[in-house]
């Protein structure tokens, strides 16, 4: 019996002096393990006289229980202590200055392109894309500009070989889409993309720029539909209250052809230095798809009509964001590009 008390006291003081969960685990094995001291006491019971067994057994059980409880309690305390130590060690000083990571911004041309795509998708248009290295056939022939046509000189072209070129306008995609439709209407799409011309670069010219073509073909499509569509676009791009004005023009692939002005968003049409006092700013070329273009692409021009337009995205971006030199879009000066984070 004294041995039991002795083992219990020994165990309790070992528990008390354990400094870590690992040390405590060693104590647990030493006293409560299969080969531990308390188990050894149990085995001693066999050699006792019968009448002493129950009292002895009960005392050993109480000893086991006391040691188990003490271990459990010590375990919880040691774990709490370890956690606290860890928290102190891992403490973050959130008042320290962090290192700022550089964040890029969307390119202004992409912003404009996305805006235009969103607004036309909202009106049920599809988006078509196609090759920048294009066949003369789509860029010119199908657009009603045969080889000897003077209009070829309106667009100085980068030729790769006599039949291959860098597309000079997204109207090439209009032709591809017309051909693909095989005379089936309705067609309602826009084609945004890069185009190229042999221009000398200056503040308003760039040998590479971006256009977005629009094309709608169906029954009873009129110039009024074109006007309404462009008015909607102008209001969304330049703010409510914009008006649209058509001026007669010439493109080989449209008849009639128009040049489209928008009422100046800077002075609301009153006249300022951006619109050079006229109250209007030219933004794009458009017209009704030429019956010959429809016929060449397999449409019955007696049954269907269509409108088309081609808008330069740099021009829209320059007006919208007050940019005065087209080269800014291409020289990748971070100081310029960073100013667009205000639209994030
Ligand atoms: N392709 C013309 C250009 O690059 C723009 C244009 C004018 C496109 C009239 C059209 C259109 O679709 O109908 O100058």
């Amino acid at each position: 019996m004294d041995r039991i008390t002795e083992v219990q006291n020994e165990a309790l003081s070992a528990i008390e002096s354990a400094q870590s969960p690992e040390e405590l685990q060693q104590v647990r094995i030493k006293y409560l393990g299969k080969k531990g001291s308390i188990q050894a006491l149990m085995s001693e019971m066999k050699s006792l006289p019968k009448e002493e067994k129950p009292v002895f057994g009960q005392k050993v059980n109480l000893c086991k229980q006391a040691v188990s409880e003490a271990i459990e309690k010590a375990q919880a305390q040691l774990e709490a202590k370890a956690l606290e130590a860890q928290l102190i060690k891992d403490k973050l000083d959130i008042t320290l200055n962090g290192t700022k990571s550089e964040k890029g911004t969307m390119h202004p041309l992409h912003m404009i392109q996305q805006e235009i795509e969103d607004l036309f998708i909202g009106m049920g248009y599809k988006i078509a894309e196609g090759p920048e290295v294009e066949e003369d056939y789509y860029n010119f022939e199908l657009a009603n500009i045969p080889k000897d046509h003077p209009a070829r000189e309106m667009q100085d072209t980068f030729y790769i070989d006599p039949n291959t070129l860098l597309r000079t306008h997204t109207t090439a995609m209009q032709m591809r889409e017309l051909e693909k439709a095989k005379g089936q209407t309705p067609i309602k799409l826009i084609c945004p993309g890069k185009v190229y011309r042999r221009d000398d670069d200056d503040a308003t010219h760039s040998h590479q720029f971006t256009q977005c073509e629009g094309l709608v073909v169906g029954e009873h499509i009129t110039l009024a539909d074109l006007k309404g569509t462009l008015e909607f676009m102008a209001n969304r791009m330049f703010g409510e209250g914009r008006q649209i004005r058509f001026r007669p023009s010439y493109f080989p692939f449209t008849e009639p052809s128009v040049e489209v002005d928008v009422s100046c968003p800077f002075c609301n049409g009153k006249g300022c230095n951006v619109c050079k006092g006229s109250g209007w700013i030219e933004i794009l070329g458009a017209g009704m798809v030429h019956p010959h273009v429809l016929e060449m692409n397999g449409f019955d021009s007696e049954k269907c009509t269509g409108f088309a337009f081609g808008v330069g995205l740099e021009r829209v971006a320059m007006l919208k964001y007050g940019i005065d030199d087209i080269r800014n879009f291409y020289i990748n000066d971070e100081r310029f590009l960073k100013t667009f984070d205000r639209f994030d």
Side-chain angles (χ1 to χ4, degrees):
M1 290 298 228
D2 288 346
R3 205 35 216 129
I4 300 174
T5 315
E6 207 176 294
V7 167
Q8 180 166 340
N9 289 341
E10 212 180 276
L12 292 180
S13 85
I15 291 167
E16 213 173 303
S17 53
Q19 291 300 316
S20 66
E22 293 74 31
E23 273 180 48
L24 192 64
Q25 178 63 2
Q26 291 309 318
V27 176
R28 186 199 303 275
I29 294 168
K30 186 169 173 202
Y31 292 96
L32 294 176
K34 267 194 204 134
K35 292 180 186 156
S37 318
I38 295 179
Q39 196 57 41
L41 290 173
M42 281 296 200
S43 330
E44 277 174 32
M45 204 158 64
K46 275 185 267 158
S47 54
L48 289 178
K50 209 172 161 206
E51 59 284 4
E52 284 180 23
K53 278 184 185 174
V55 186
F56 187 85
Q58 200 180 18
K59 186 144 190 208
V60 174
N61 271 335
L62 284 174
C63 162
K64 193 174 175 184
Q65 201 179 337
V67 171
S68 295
E69 276 167 15
I71 287 182
E72 216 101 304
K73 207 168 132 204
Q75 175 84 16
Q77 276 168 356
L78 285 174
E79 275 171 9
K81 226 169 97 186
L83 179 66
E84 202 177 325
Q86 189 70 25
L87 286 177
I88 288 169
K89 199 169 136 228
D90 291 350
K91 193 173 167 198
L92 283 182
D93 182 354
I94 54 165
T95 64
L96 266 184
N97 285 334
T99 34
K100 221 175 173 186
S101 56
E102 286 291 313
K103 185 163 140 268
T105 54
M106 181 107 95
H107 193 280
L109 282 176
H110 274 123
M111 292 201 281
I112 293 291
Q113 183 171 331
Q114 265 187 9
E115 252 181 79
I116 291 187
E117 286 178 2
D118 284 353
L119 82 91
F120 278 98
I121 285 170
M123 289 194 282
Y125 283 60
K126 291 212 165 72
I127 295 182
E129 280 179 282
E132 290 167 31
V133 176
E134 183 56 283
E135 293 171 39
D136 182 281
Y137 182 65
Y138 293 107
N139 198 81
F140 290 129
E141 296 283 330
L142 277 187
N144 208 17
I145 317 176
K147 283 251 152 46
D148 52 357
H149 198 289
R152 288 213 176 199
E153 269 145 48
M154 283 163 66
Q155 303 181 352
D156 272 328
T157 310
F158 286 112
Y159 276 95
I160 289 162
D161 63 44
N163 293 316
T164 319
L165 44 77
L166 294 183
R167 68 178 174 196
T168 58
H169 52 184
T170 44
T171 306
M173 269 309 291
Q174 184 191 143
M175 298 313 144
R176 279 182 178 271
E177 290 296 321
L178 282 173
E179 185 190 58
K180 204 163 88 186
K182 297 198 170 71
Q184 294 299 306
T185 58
I187 299 175
K188 214 171 153 190
L189 47 88
I190 57 166
C191 324
K194 295 191 189 87
V195 298
Y196 303 84
R197 294 200 194 160
R198 262 187 321 113
D199 270 331
D200 289 330
D201 292 357
D202 62 24
T204 53
H205 294 87
S206 168
H207 62 281
Q208 175 197 308
F209 57 105
T210 321
Q211 283 189 333
C212 183
E213 193 85 359
L215 174 69
V216 174
V217 183
E219 284 173 28
H220 315 299
I221 303 290
T222 69
L223 210 55
D225 296 318
L226 172 64
K227 194 167 184 193
T229 305
L230 294 178
E231 214 158 57
F232 179 75
M233 177 170 89
N235 276 289
R236 287 283 294 271
M237 300 305 291
F238 299 115
E240 293 301 314
R242 293 306 100 222
Q243 284 173 344
I244 286 291
R245 167 173 98 166
F246 283 174
R247 278 180 294 108
S249 183
Y250 171 75
F251 298 104
F253 32 88
T254 42
E255 180 56 37
S257 301
V258 291
E259 235 143 78
V260 182
D261 297 341
V262 59
S263 58
C264 179
F266 298 99
C267 61
N268 236 337
K270 286 188 202 73
C272 65
N273 59 354
V274 180
C275 61
K276 301 193 183 77
S278 74
W280 295 95
I281 295 179
E282 187 195 321
I283 52 161
L284 56 91
M288 299 304 290
V289 181
H290 198 296
H292 187 49
V293 169
L294 288 174
E295 296 288 341
M296 275 194 290
N297 282 295
F299 290 83
D300 182 348
S301 65
E302 296 290 325
K303 284 216 187 104
C304 60
T305 50
F307 69 69
F309 61 86
V311 55
L313 300 192
E314 283 80 357
R315 180 142 180 79
V316 174
M318 285 167 88
L319 284 171
K320 191 165 161 136
Y321 303 129
I323 298 163
D324 58 5
D325 193 324
I326 195 171
R327 289 168 293 195
N328 278 322
F329 294 115
Y330 295 104
I331 54 180
N332 285 334
D333 182 337
E334 270 192 51
R335 289 165 304 179
F336 167 78
L337 295 173
K338 280 248 157 73
T339 63
F340 291 91
D341 61 2
R342 66 200 143 127
F343 299 106
D344 269 3

